Amino acid sequence: MRKEEFLKEHQDLFHKQVSRSDFPPDFVFGVATSAYQIEGGSNEGGRGPSIWDAFTRKKGTIIDGSNGDVAVDHYHRYKEDIELIAKFGFEAYRFSISWSRIFPDGTGTKVNEDGIKFYNNIINSLLEKGIEPYVTLYHWDLPLHLEESMGGWLNKEIVKYFAIYADTCFANFGDRVKNWITINEPLQTSINGFDIGIFAPGRHENSSVEPYLAAHNQILAHATAVSIYQSKYRDQQGGKIGLVIDCEWSEANSDKIEDKVATARRLEFQLGWYLGPIYDGEYPEIMRETLGDKLPKFSEEDKNLLRNSKPDFIGINHYTSRFISHITETTGGPYFYKAQQIERIAEWEGGEPIGEKGASEWLYVCPWGLQKLLTYISQRYNNIPIYVTENGMDDEDIDAPLDELLDDKLRVRYFNGYLAGVAQAIKNGANVKGYFAWSLLDNFEWCNGYTKRFGLVYVDYKNGLARHPKSSAYWFKRFLKGDEEKTSKKED
Ligand code: GBH
């Protein structure tokens, strides 16, 4: 791909000054987190263990040997954290509920009232400040008992337990929570959990089968929860429910037909794998052709369920983009990539990186990718309402004077560029309803432990987990409060 030509065609979003007025007035701006990454309090309030508690204890799984036992202690500091969300002017907060705080062994036999109380406190504190809660039911922290006793997502019985858990959350919180997300990034559970094995439960032994089974059961669990919400709660509570898919943008590496086909295939394997069943009642044709019997089948009953449980919106988690080319040699490497026969390229023709690099290996700053992704989803899936439920970048955890650590210039450029991309996608017709920055706080970044920092707010791990807002948090504040504050240079 030739950079000059490409960027001429897809305008350079970094140089647009984006403002709140580029978005519809009812567009929602929020900030996001997830339970295991921030809560800590792992043995408090009756919480049962999750697969991440067990996984982080295995040698070699987490780069710095850390875990989420304390994380950033949001369990005790949620009030302070909600103050921060309010201070920067966010209108919404996306967080996840830890399943094993509600049902310590996951089975739904005994509701843990302390868990209910904890999330009631969070929801009520948010509403007091006028912040709309967006609640994810599952952000990867499966109750350990469900993994150990029955194989977790590999066993179809999990659908039943997820349904009880979801129902319990709707019943307890749905009078105040109007936006529900069933599952976060089922792709990551499938691939990193059951093929590559870098996420809990860390399996890779049967990677030509298990990822597809784990995906299948997540899709059915999602649909069952939607169906419960829509039949039992929606009329009374008046909320909406959807799921969150993660997707990089894929751009063909050349005009060669095989590269274009590989790119389309890649998008089907990321988005279509989940949105296909949910919208069309079936996996994408290319997946069925490629995987044959390895891909589970939906029964008539399943199809009926899928037909009658269409989500109200789709959440998209998006961070980065890649050029894709077709390969014929697929020896070695995770099964998933073999199944797609793709090469994922992070360079322009000539060797320059596809974008500035974040701290994570996989993260390059390419705002045009989000614009293209939103347009693609709108066109491919019948103009469904979309929320960008995560978007952000990370810095390395380094030792430097605090004021330098807090002045996150690249992150400010990232948000400005990606938001300009969202605004452009909306102008071009995409039905985007809201945007959530990832993440409120530096936190436990899964297999990277505390070595990568995605926060708008710096957390000082060496000094009592003190919170220090970064420049990007103040950037959002000015952006969200609009022109009235733009004129005042003062940053409190
Ligand atoms: C999100 O996933 C998660 O929802 C969130 O919890 C997390 O903190 C955030 O990302 C930042 O990582 O090494 O090339 O195989 C985004 C999906 C999953 C993208 C892991 C990168 C590794 C890609 N991410 N993936 S690679």
Side-chain angles (χ1 to χ4, degrees):
M1 186 62 54
R2 299 279 302 270
K3 184 179 178 188
E4 302 72 38
E5 284 163 36
F6 184 90
L7 287 183
K8 210 183 312 157
E9 236 178 276
H10 308 285
Q11 74 274 35
D12 191 349
L13 297 165
F14 286 122
H15 297 120
K16 283 193 163 176
Q17 186 62 44
V18 70
S19 83
R20 179 69 177 84
S21 58
D22 294 323
F23 296 83
D26 61 349
F27 191 89
V28 177
F29 282 96
V31 67
T33 63
S34 93
Y36 190 72
Q37 294 180 274
I38 63 165
E39 280 183 6
S42 62
N43 289 320
E44 289 174 71
R47 175 187 180 276
S50 84
I51 54 174
W52 273 92
D53 293 302
F55 185 68
T56 51
R57 276 171 179 72
K58 286 194 201 147
K59 237 185 136 88
T61 53
I62 310 300
I63 205 167
D64 56 1
S66 66
N67 57 52
D69 283 4
V70 178
V72 297
D73 197 29
H74 178 73
Y75 188 70
H76 296 109
R77 299 177 200 223
Y78 68 88
K79 281 220 165 97
E80 177 188 351
D81 293 339
I82 291 170
E83 296 276 345
L84 286 167
I85 301 170
K87 172 171 169 181
F88 295 108
F90 288 104
E91 300 139 10
Y93 174 49
R94 172 177 175 238
F95 65 96
S96 80
I97 293 180
S98 152
W99 186 342
S100 62
R101 273 196 200 286
I102 305 298
F103 292 115
D105 71 357
T107 61
T109 43
K110 192 177 105 253
V111 180
N112 173 32
E113 289 303 332
D114 278 357
I116 302 280
K117 203 160 116 204
F118 173 61
Y119 293 109
N120 271 336
N121 288 342
I122 289 187
I123 293 162
N124 294 340
S125 309
L126 288 168
L127 293 175
E128 266 164 38
K129 303 226 172 270
I131 300 164
E132 199 57 37
Y134 282 64
V135 177
T136 308
L137 294 172
Y138 185 72
H139 199 125
W140 307 351
D141 45 358
L142 189 76
L144 184 60
H145 175 74
L146 294 179
E147 181 67 31
E148 290 182 335
S149 64
M150 52 176 269
W153 289 111
L154 298 179
N155 187 333
K156 197 173 173 182
E157 288 284 289
I158 191 84
V159 174
K160 185 177 79 191
Y161 294 116
F162 186 72
I164 298 170
Y165 163 56
D167 196 328
T168 306
C169 290
F170 302 146
N172 280 279
F173 309 124
D175 57 331
R176 289 151 294 147
V177 172
K178 303 300 168 192
N179 296 280
W180 293 100
I181 289 156
T182 54
I183 294 184
N184 180 70
E185 302 188 354
L187 176 74
Q188 296 307 321
T189 294
S190 303
I191 295 308
N192 281 329
F194 292 93
D195 180 0
I196 303 174
I198 56 170
F199 286 0
R203 293 185 58 79
H204 50 79
E205 296 79 0
N206 199 357
S207 71
S208 68
V209 172
E210 290 184 359
Y212 303 101
L213 203 53
H216 199 74
N217 291 329
Q218 288 183 88
I219 292 165
L220 293 174
H222 153 79
T224 304
V226 171
S227 149
I228 291 171
Y229 187 73
Q230 292 179 342
S231 61
K232 211 168 147 187
Y233 295 98
R234 185 169 56 183
D235 285 352
Q236 207 187 326
Q237 298 183 346
K240 293 190 166 60
I241 184 160
L243 85 165
V244 164
I245 308 288
D246 62 301
C247 195
E248 295 178 346
W249 175 246
S250 297
E251 183 73 32
N253 192 42
S254 79
D255 286 336
K256 281 193 258 164
I257 187 77
E258 18 345 341
D259 288 352
K260 290 190 168 168
V261 170
T263 305
R265 189 167 57 216
R266 160 81 165 169
L267 286 166
E268 289 289 74
F269 269 77
Q270 289 216 307
L271 285 169
W273 189 356
Y274 303 93
L275 298 187
I278 287 165
Y279 282 96
D280 313 328
E282 197 42 278
Y283 291 113
E285 201 180 330
I286 185 67
M287 289 192 76
R288 282 181 279 147
E289 264 172 31
T290 313
L291 298 163
D293 289 348
K294 298 195 167 87
L295 203 59
K297 301 221 171 2
F298 293 109
S299 67
E300 279 313 309
E301 196 189 328
D302 295 340
K303 285 189 182 167
N304 211 20
L305 169 71
L306 290 166
R307 226 183 338 264
N308 294 309
S309 57
K310 300 270 191 274
D312 300 306
F313 63 87
I314 292 296
I316 290 295
N317 290 355
H318 173 86
Y319 292 85
T320 196
S321 293
R322 284 295 189 284
F323 299 124
I324 300 296
S325 71
H326 176 75
I327 46 167
T328 45
E329 285 290 309
T330 55
T331 47
Y335 183 83
F336 182 64
Y337 290 98
K338 284 189 223 169
Q340 297 179 89
Q341 292 180 294
I342 54 140
E343 187 181 5
R344 208 163 140 254
I345 297 164
E347 291 171 356
W348 300 96
E349 204 178 299
E352 198 187 331
I354 188 169
E356 286 173 276
K357 219 175 144 315
S360 278
E361 191 78 62
W362 50 273
L363 204 160
Y364 295 85
V365 185
C366 315
W368 46 269
L370 179 54
Q371 180 187 325
K372 295 187 120 196
L373 176 64
L374 294 171
T375 301
Y376 170 86
I377 296 172
S378 284
Q379 290 171 353
R380 174 79 174 69
Y381 296 100
N382 205 18
N383 215 29
I384 46 171
I386 305 171
Y387 287 85
V388 176
T389 35
E390 287 179 25
N391 178 239
M393 63 155 289
D394 57 346
D395 292 311
E396 210 68 61
D397 175 41
I398 51 166
D399 272 329
L402 189 62
D403 56 339
E404 275 172 38
L405 296 171
L406 298 185
D407 193 16
D408 54 345
K409 294 195 180 66
L410 180 55
R411 184 171 291 101
V412 168
R413 232 174 23 252
Y414 182 104
F415 284 131
N416 184 81
Y418 276 78
L419 281 170
V422 176
Q424 192 58 47
I426 295 172
K427 287 199 185 92
N428 298 345
N431 190 8
V432 191
K433 299 288 193 196
Y435 172 98
F436 291 78
W438 183 269
S439 183
L440 175 64
L441 302 158
D442 291 336
N443 59 49
F444 177 75
E445 179 49 26
W446 308 112
C447 46
N448 284 316
Y450 298 95
T451 69
K452 303 282 186 273
R453 294 173 173 273
F454 274 91
L456 301 183
V457 174
Y458 184 89
V459 176
D460 191 340
Y461 297 124
K462 294 191 184 118
N463 290 295
L465 301 173
R467 274 80 163 135
H468 301 281
K470 303 178 191 176
S471 298
S472 55
Y474 291 106
W475 180 86
F476 261 109
K477 183 176 183 195
R478 286 191 301 276
F479 170 82
L480 291 168
K481 301 259 161 99
D483 293 324
E484 134 217 11
E485 298 242 342
K486 241 180 224 165
T487 46
S488 117
K489 289 243 153 43
K490 202 175 140 277
E491 288 183 353
D492 51 326

